[in-house]
Amino acid sequence: MKDAYARVLPTEVAFGVGLKRTGDTYIEELALIVYVPDKRPPPELPQEVMIPPTWEGYATDVVESHPEPLALLNDTSFFQAPRGGASIGWEDPFQVHIGTLGCVAQRRSDGARRLLTANHVTPAPGLEMFQPHPGAAQSTLVGTVELQGTDWDCAVLEPDSGRGTPDCSVLDIGALPGSSTAPPGDHVWNAARKRGQSTGLTTGVVVAHMHPGQVGIERLRVDTFPVGGLFLWHGDSGSVLVNANDEVIGLLVQGDEMKPSSTSSNPTAAVGLALPIAPVLDELSVEIGVDPPVVSGISPDTAPGVLANGGNAMITGRGFDSSTTVTFNGVDALSVIPASPHLLVVIPPVLAILGTVPVAVTNAFGTQSTPNPQAVFTY
């Protein structure tokens, strides 16, 4: 359908697959959705831009859409250790720019902790950002912009050492287990939530996976449920979107269907648009920060298997860094090579034991992995 209509529709048009909506009610029917800047009745439209009621057996839907960048005002809480959901900002000669610190990330090269947010709420690389934000009480340097996405609206900050160890949790949500590996379309009709500096913790439902249109960027569309509430507002940009398991599935960068109130300063409704998390992490060469580290598997997991493998074992999991140490029944491994935040190459110690022993991983900040059935090795 995109191939058939993108040529004759405005460049702002996006195409999605999600739930059909009748008025303000979503119905449990999959539809091919066209998001247009100006929805008009059929008599006002040329025939070539008319979207038919069905397309190859699927219902269609046309939704008026006006995505807006997010970047202004609200929570001014100070946190000594940076953490997800907190306010961050910077100032130019004309205004203060405010957004949300999404969460802590880890560089794939060495596991070093970084601060993840949206590109459009950061200044140029090498410039400083503050928390809560310039003008707020206790506001001090939180980090320096290290890398910004070129194709995706994302960025990471190098945290300032004076603020302490970055906290791998999100306010009102808690510790993150990492990112989801499910394809973006699999999140449709699933619950999601975010914690932003402007509207705090809000919950909703992923109502569509918006495929790349002429702008070339795919997005997840998140609405409150029942429809019509406020999922986010200016200042929430940079928040991470998490699923019911608290796995990160997206990075919030825009709002749509934004409705200011006519009677107060508080808005009444807004839909969130988030970038799927996988291309964001690839763009920045990072992973979602995990603390404590998690061991999800050891291969080979027996002494004979390690001997047959040249003496090495591979430990997979999350939250590893360049200073990670590994113990087998409390005895240090002979060698640990951190390959990424997900992989360690180790040489197990020689132990005069017959049986299964626990394996523990400790990161650079002294936090040790929790024992689990996957974190064992047999001599």
Side-chain angles (χ1 to χ4, degrees):
M1 189 169 72
K2 182 182 74 172
D3 290 342
Y5 284 94
R7 296 174 291 103
V8 296
L9 292 172
T11 57
E12 308 97 304
V13 167
F15 297 83
V17 177
L19 301 174
K20 187 171 178 63
R21 195 164 92 185
T22 302
D24 283 342
T25 302
Y26 288 101
I27 61 176
E28 203 165 344
E29 178 181 4
L30 199 64
L32 308 180
I33 308 170
V34 183
Y35 297 94
V36 299
D38 184 18
K39 185 176 179 179
R40 299 180 184 179
E44 297 181 13
L45 294 172
Q47 185 62 37
E48 65 268 18
V49 300
M50 287 278 293
I51 304 299
T54 62
W55 182 271
E56 295 187 356
Y58 288 94
T60 66
D61 205 356
V62 178
V63 175
E64 188 164 309
S65 170
H66 304 281
E68 296 182 26
L70 304 172
L72 272 163
L73 247 37
N74 230 319
D75 182 358
T76 58
S77 300
F78 171 81
F79 300 95
Q80 179 62 36
R83 67 197 66 194
S87 172
I88 55 176
W90 62 284
E91 186 175 16
D92 65 25
F94 305 101
Q95 69 178 105
V96 174
H97 302 262
I98 302 172
T100 298
L101 193 168
C103 69
V104 171
Q106 290 181 269
R107 286 196 308 207
R108 288 176 178 172
S109 60
D110 57 8
R113 293 188 181 181
R114 292 297 183 259
L115 309 178
L116 175 66
T117 188
N119 184 351
H120 75 263
V121 300
T122 64
L127 298 184
E128 298 175 336
M129 293 198 71
F130 298 83
Q131 198 283 316
H133 52 74
Q138 296 182 279
S139 183
T140 55
L141 178 66
V142 69
T144 303
V145 181
E146 179 176 80
L147 180 64
Q148 294 174 316
T150 53
D151 296 321
W152 299 82
D153 186 357
C154 54
V156 287
L157 315 180
E158 179 181 1
D160 180 70
S161 59
R163 294 296 288 265
T165 302
D167 187 330
C168 295
S169 67
V170 176
L171 295 166
D172 302 325
I173 292 177
L176 301 176
S179 59
S180 171
T181 58
D186 285 6
H187 300 305
V188 174
W189 203 223
N190 288 338
R193 56 183 181 159
K194 74 95 186 66
R195 203 286 181 182
Q197 76 87 33
S198 180
T199 57
L201 180 67
T202 56
T203 59
V205 171
V206 179
V207 294
H209 171 213
M210 299 173 66
H211 294 254
Q214 289 172 279
V215 294
I217 299 295
E218 60 181 314
R219 288 160 292 176
L220 297 173
R221 191 177 187 89
V222 191
D223 205 344
T224 53
F225 194 82
V227 67
L230 185 68
F231 186 74
L232 81 176
W233 200 249
H234 297 289
D236 288 335
S237 208
S239 307
V240 291
L241 184 69
V242 303
N243 62 16
N245 298 320
D246 292 339
E247 296 172 317
V248 178
I249 63 173
L251 182 71
L252 284 159
V253 294
Q254 291 175 307
D256 200 359
E257 301 185 49
M258 303 178 78
K259 300 176 182 177
S261 171
S262 59
T263 58
S264 76
S265 60
N266 296 318
T268 61
V271 169
L273 300 181
L275 303 176
I277 197 60
V280 166
L281 299 180
D282 289 343
E283 181 89 346
L284 301 171
S285 294
V286 298
E287 300 292 338
I288 299 301
V290 176
D291 191 38
V294 176
V295 175
S296 58
I298 303 173
S299 179
D301 61 357
T302 66
V306 164
L307 289 174
N309 195 45
N312 293 326
M314 310 292 181
I315 298 181
T316 54
R318 290 173 168 172
F320 307 151
D321 55 43
S322 59
S323 298
T324 293
T325 59
V326 181
T327 59
F328 290 70
N329 203 39
V331 178
D332 289 338
L334 298 179
S335 172
V336 180
I337 301 175
S340 77
H342 288 293
L343 178 65
L344 302 171
V345 181
V346 303
I347 300 178
V350 178
L351 299 181
I353 292 175
L354 290 177
T356 299
V357 301
V359 176
V361 170
T362 303
N363 64 21
F365 305 100
T367 308
Q368 189 174 90
S369 59
T370 302
N372 70 73
Q374 286 74 44
V376 295
F377 187 82
T378 302
Y379 283 89

